[in-house]
Amino acid sequence: METAATAAPAWGFFSSFLLLAFGTLVAALLGAAHRLGLFYQLMHKVDTASIRHGGENVAAVLKAHGVRFLFTLVGGHISPLLVACEKLGIRVVDTRHEVTAVFAADAVARLTGTVGVAAVTAGPGLTNTVTAVKNAQIAQSPVLLLGGAASTLLQNRGALQAVDQMSLFRPLCKFCASVRRVRDIIPTLRAAMAAAQSGTPGPVFVELPLDVLYPYFMVQKEMVPAKPPKGLMSRAVHWYLANSLANLFAGAWEPQPEGPLPLDIPQASPQQVQRCVEILSRAKRPLMLIGSQALLPPTSADKLRVAVETLGIPCFLAGMARGLLGRNHPLHFRQNRRAALKKADVVVLAGTVCDFRLSYGRVLSRSSKIIVVNRDRKEMLINSDIFWKPQEAVQGDVGSFVVKLVEGLRGQMWASDWAEELRQADQQKEQTFREKALMPVAQHLNPVRVLQLVEDTLPDNSILVVDGGDFVGTAAYLVKPRGPLCWLDPGAFGTLGVGAGFALGAKLCRPDAEIPVMALIGNDAGWTQISREQVPSLGSNVACGLAYTDYHKAAQGLGAQGLLLSRENEDQVVKVLRDAQQQCQDGHPVVVNILIGRTDFRDGSIAM
């Protein structure tokens, strides 16, 4: 027979179990209520009469961050934000392909030091941008991509153009977020804008489902059935849909800060700067390689230029740093970089990376002391485990670092014979180019000669956008940007097709520059860079041959001016280029179709 003594522990255990179960149930209910937004809705109202929409919140944040241009290809998913941006005075620029919209935003980011913004519709609209977003990631451009999406409740249910967009962009972007409620638009976009510019800049992606952009009455019409339900299950579904609608719009129009958040930009420590000053102070043959990162804010291009001039170290410029010292500066060298690196006793890699462009670091001499500065630690030290070793590795902003070097080395002078040695090597290489320009061509124009004439006639306010292979490679040696931030190339990803988008962005940033747009097409009827290697090694020119297409006529068909340069008007190259520039000044885009032979810089030969 059970006694009171034995029953007490059993009852105590049972009561504890009941209490635990009850607590678990309460916690689950509270969690469900929180996820359904019930608590938030108690404190924040839904303005069912408002005709405002989430696109207005998007536009307000962009305006508060100084965004002047929004590049797009229109789609119903994103129409509200386009309309709202237009109303706030943000210029909406529509393109004919989504990849061009992102390329244009990339150009704006590079030229202005702010975030370039593109907005595209869901599904294929976003997948079309992938190449441009990857290019921006490799080039470290702060680009904000706004993407439409299916309504929140219809995702994963077979909605139009619905794909897993977040998984697609996470590997490409520093920051990815999907906005699920209207009230979250503002803080999410502020965080995205800050992430794009902090640390190592790069692209960010914000997904904006259709129901967070459109006004309440339109979303209600699509989401909640007009007729009252009858069955129990129908009523439960109706309540869930109505509650989801309320949670979408609760607190949507309450005031929130819209302006920029503080940026996190790494800086070199005083101790690191001092160690680098000491290394450079003992150098006899110092050399600087300055890359795109040096042009990032907060250091302006003009301040960086003054610092480099004051420092007095011979330098090579790459990427967005091209043109930093103008057209012809005694400290700037363009040729024979490999030989110069082998002779230098101290090399400063200022935003330059030891990737394929520096033969993975193999061009650096093991006897040289290497100072490397970069915002990104992984990029800064790439291949340092096998081909090179830094004497000092500084994770920090490149432009600020150079300015601090000047302060530490003020008054330091280096022997002029080092710069003179580099200058003589430059002049010898340029003489080689002049000789190549005089070589006869069997049928078409000598591209070296044409590009020399382009260099001679180029206006000082030009922005050079380079997009291509062989012709562009030749131009990189011969055509000199006239000043800072006047050169746009794709970057290390080597993307073809950036030209139209980059030119569009550049024109908007610099309305006084010599565009709209003069496109010089080096038409050699082939993929010559590929053919040059493929034919000798594999014995076939398959897929490398093209036609001498009448690109100038295609331009005329699209409403632009089209001009042809060929052997027939070889003596009028300068006149045609001048005519093209005049057409640009009159507001007409111009395409100059230049029929050229093929140049091989390795042995100096020029073929038909």
Side-chain angles (χ1 to χ4, degrees):
M1 207 175 152
E2 187 179 27
T3 65
T6 58
W11 170 250
F13 173 78
F14 184 66
S15 61
S16 297
F17 176 77
L18 287 177
L19 185 61
L20 178 62
F22 179 74
T24 303
L25 178 61
V26 170
L29 290 173
L30 291 175
H34 174 73
R35 288 192 297 273
L36 291 169
L38 299 178
F39 297 134
Y40 189 88
Q41 293 173 43
L42 291 174
M43 304 296 295
H44 303 271
K45 300 297 183 182
V46 178
D47 187 353
T48 59
S50 176
I51 60 172
R52 295 183 62 183
H53 54 76
E56 297 174 13
N57 288 5
V58 175
V61 175
L62 299 183
K63 186 73 173 180
H65 283 73
V67 173
R68 295 189 293 150
F69 311 110
L70 174 67
F71 300 96
T72 191
L73 198 160
V74 70
H77 290 85
I78 58 170
S79 290
L81 74 87
L82 303 181
V83 172
C85 285
E86 180 189 40
K87 288 182 178 178
L88 285 187
I90 298 172
R91 183 170 177 180
V92 178
V93 183
D94 58 308
T95 65
R96 297 300 177 268
H97 196 289
E98 291 87 354
V99 76
T100 301
V102 178
F103 283 142
D106 186 345
V108 168
R110 300 190 198 193
L111 293 176
T112 65
T114 61
V115 178
V117 185
V120 302
T121 197
L126 275 163
T127 59
N128 278 346
T129 69
V130 167
T131 297
V133 174
K134 183 63 182 181
N135 193 77
Q137 182 191 42
I138 298 295
Q140 300 175 350
S141 292
V143 171
L144 168 62
L145 176 61
L146 303 174
S151 297
T152 52
L153 291 180
L154 292 180
Q155 293 182 10
N156 300 316
R157 296 185 179 276
L160 174 66
Q161 297 181 331
V163 295
D164 185 359
Q165 299 172 163
M166 299 298 290
S167 295
L168 187 64
F169 285 96
R170 281 193 187 99
L172 307 178
C173 296
K174 294 181 62 182
F175 175 100
C176 286
S178 181
V179 177
R180 317 307 284 182
R181 298 164 300 202
V182 178
R183 62 181 176 270
D184 294 333
I185 291 175
I186 291 175
T188 301
L189 287 179
R190 294 178 75 210
M193 296 286 277
Q197 300 172 89
S198 293
T200 305
V204 294
F205 172 60
V206 176
E207 181 182 76
L208 296 163
L210 193 146
D211 49 358
V212 302
L213 289 180
Y214 277 84
Y216 180 91
F217 72 93
M218 294 182 69
V219 178
Q220 180 188 40
K221 182 179 179 181
E222 295 295 324
M223 182 182 289
V224 183
K227 294 182 179 180
K230 295 181 179 180
L232 180 61
M233 180 59 71
S234 297
R235 290 180 181 179
V237 171
H238 186 276
W239 177 88
Y240 178 78
L241 294 174
N243 181 73
S244 297
L245 177 65
N247 195 38
L248 268 173
F249 285 90
W253 318 123
E254 295 175 3
Q256 297 186 65
E258 298 166 349
L261 293 169
L263 303 182
D264 180 16
I265 298 176
Q267 296 290 342
S269 70
Q271 294 80 10
Q272 289 175 312
V273 174
Q274 182 57 35
R275 289 196 294 269
C276 296
V277 166
E278 292 172 1
I279 293 170
L280 279 166
S281 67
R282 295 189 290 269
K284 302 298 183 184
R285 299 184 304 279
L287 192 66
M288 287 187 70
L289 273 61
I290 304 176
S292 296
Q293 266 198 27
L295 275 294
L296 292 174
T299 305
S300 69
D302 288 339
K303 187 175 182 179
L304 178 65
R305 175 183 55 78
V306 171
V308 172
E309 290 176 332
T310 305
L311 201 56
I313 296 177
C315 60
F316 289 84
L317 306 176
M320 289 301 297
R322 287 176 180 264
L324 175 66
L325 299 178
R327 184 181 183 185
N328 294 302
H329 195 283
L331 289 175
H332 180 205
F333 300 92
R334 295 179 173 85
Q335 321 296 344
N336 302 297
R337 185 177 67 178
R338 180 183 292 265
L341 285 169
K342 291 297 184 183
K343 294 179 180 180
D345 59 354
V346 175
V347 177
V348 181
L349 301 178
T352 307
V353 184
C354 288
D355 57 12
F356 69 93
R357 292 167 291 183
L358 288 179
S359 295
Y360 309 98
R362 285 177 290 192
V363 296
L364 301 173
S365 171
R366 292 193 177 274
S367 63
S368 301
K369 290 181 171 64
I370 310 298
I371 297 170
V372 56
V373 55
N374 198 295
R375 291 195 187 190
D376 187 286
R377 182 168 181 80
K378 180 179 178 181
E379 183 177 82
M380 175 174 67
L381 298 176
I382 189 170
N383 296 314
S384 64
D385 56 336
I386 46 176
F387 294 128
W388 68 285
K389 293 290 182 185
Q391 181 80 10
E392 195 68 43
V394 181
Q395 185 178 4
D397 177 63
V398 177
S400 303
F401 174 80
V402 174
V403 171
K404 292 173 184 176
L405 278 185
V406 172
E407 296 169 359
L409 286 164
R410 193 170 297 279
Q412 176 80 32
M413 301 288 289
W414 285 274
S416 60
D417 57 345
W418 169 232
E420 183 59 30
E421 179 182 344
L422 297 175
R423 188 171 298 108
Q424 289 179 4
D426 245 31
Q427 292 170 351
Q428 291 173 4
K429 192 66 173 286
E430 289 173 357
Q431 177 60 33
T432 302
F433 293 147
R434 285 191 287 271
E435 293 171 0
K436 290 179 181 179
L438 299 176
M439 290 182 180
V441 183
Q443 183 177 353
H444 302 293
L445 297 177
N446 183 322
V448 180
R449 178 58 179 159
V450 170
L451 287 167
Q452 284 184 341
L453 294 174
V454 170
E455 163 64 18
D456 293 341
T457 60
L458 194 70
D460 288 341
N461 65 341
S462 298
I463 298 176
L464 295 169
V465 175
V466 295
D467 178 14
D470 217 50
F471 192 60
V472 165
T474 308
Y477 284 99
L478 299 175
V479 183
K480 304 170 185 177
R482 290 348 193 203
L485 299 175
C486 290
W487 175 277
L488 284 170
D489 63 33
F493 201 39
T495 307
L496 297 183
V498 302
F502 276 16
L504 177 60
K507 167 60 184 174
L508 292 167
C509 292
R510 308 275 184 85
D512 59 327
E514 193 247 320
I515 34 182
V517 171
M518 185 167 73
L520 304 180
I521 299 177
N523 185 354
D524 62 0
W527 297 105
T528 304
Q529 273 189 329
I530 309 303
S531 176
R532 184 177 296 125
E533 302 292 338
Q534 181 175 305
V535 173
S537 60
L538 299 173
S540 173
N541 196 49
V542 62
C544 295
L546 301 172
Y548 279 101
T549 303
D550 290 335
Y551 296 115
H552 57 296
K553 293 182 179 179
Q556 292 168 357
L558 294 171
Q561 301 295 316
L563 303 174
L564 176 66
L565 271 176
S566 65
R567 177 61 62 84
E568 282 67 33
N569 59 351
E570 184 175 9
D571 59 339
Q572 299 181 12
V573 171
V574 172
K575 179 181 182 302
V576 171
L577 292 175
R578 297 287 190 197
D579 289 346
Q581 292 166 12
Q582 184 60 54
Q583 293 284 355
C584 285
Q585 293 172 6
D586 294 340
H588 305 293
V590 181
V591 169
V592 184
N593 187 17
I594 308 172
L595 305 186
I596 58 172
R598 298 169 186 171
T599 304
D600 190 338
F601 273 110
R602 296 173 305 173
D603 60 13
S605 64
I606 297 181
M608 185 182 73

